[in-house]
Amino acid sequence: MYFARWGRYQVIEDEDLPDDAIPGKLYLVGEDGRYWIAAMRCPCGCSTLLEMNLLPDSEPVWALRVIDATPTLHPSVWRKDGCRAHFLLRNGRIVWC
C-alpha cells in the first residue's frame, strides 16, 4: 500500500467546483447537505481535476461516506487515459491499486 504525500484528505463543502482545487482536499459540491459531485486533484501529481458523480440516477456513480470529516469513496477511481491512476479513497487516505 502507498499513501499520498498529503496524509488524510480533508472535506470542503461548496456550491460550485473550485477554480483552483488544492491537493489533499476532497470538494463536495452541492447544497443543503445533498452533494452531486466529489472533486479532487489526481493524487499521482499530474494535477488533473477529477470529478466523481454522486447522483444515483447517473452512471458511473460513487458512494460517499463521511465520518468525523473523513471521506471514503466507493468504488475505486480509475483513470482510463492520461496518467492512468487507479486508487481508493478510504478513511481519508489514498490507497493505490
Side-chain angles (χ1 to χ4, degrees):
M1 272 191 283
Y2 171 79
F3 297 112
R5 61 183 165 250
W6 302 290
R8 285 194 186 273
Y9 271 69
Q10 296 177 331
V11 171
I12 297 178
E13 299 177 26
D14 205 337
E15 293 179 3
D16 297 305
L17 282 172
D19 291 330
D20 192 23
I22 300 169
K25 311 289 184 199
L26 180 70
Y27 296 86
L28 302 181
V29 180
E31 294 177 341
D32 301 323
R34 180 172 157 76
Y35 308 110
W36 46 84
I37 293 176
M40 62 190 287
R41 290 280 176 209
C42 186
C44 83
C46 75
S47 77
T48 300
L49 183 65
L50 306 177
E51 299 176 29
M52 286 68 65
N53 170 48
L54 301 175
L55 296 174
D57 55 346
S58 299
E59 289 189 6
V61 63
W62 281 262
L64 170 72
R65 184 184 71 201
V66 179
I67 298 174
D68 295 329
T70 304
T72 294
L73 281 175
H74 181 77
S76 64
V77 177
W78 190 357
R79 295 199 60 210
K80 302 289 183 166
D81 57 2
C83 69
R84 302 182 59 82
H86 187 194
F87 61 91
L88 302 161
L89 179 59
R90 293 288 181 261
N91 298 316
R93 296 194 181 269
I94 297 297
V95 180
W96 294 99
C97 297

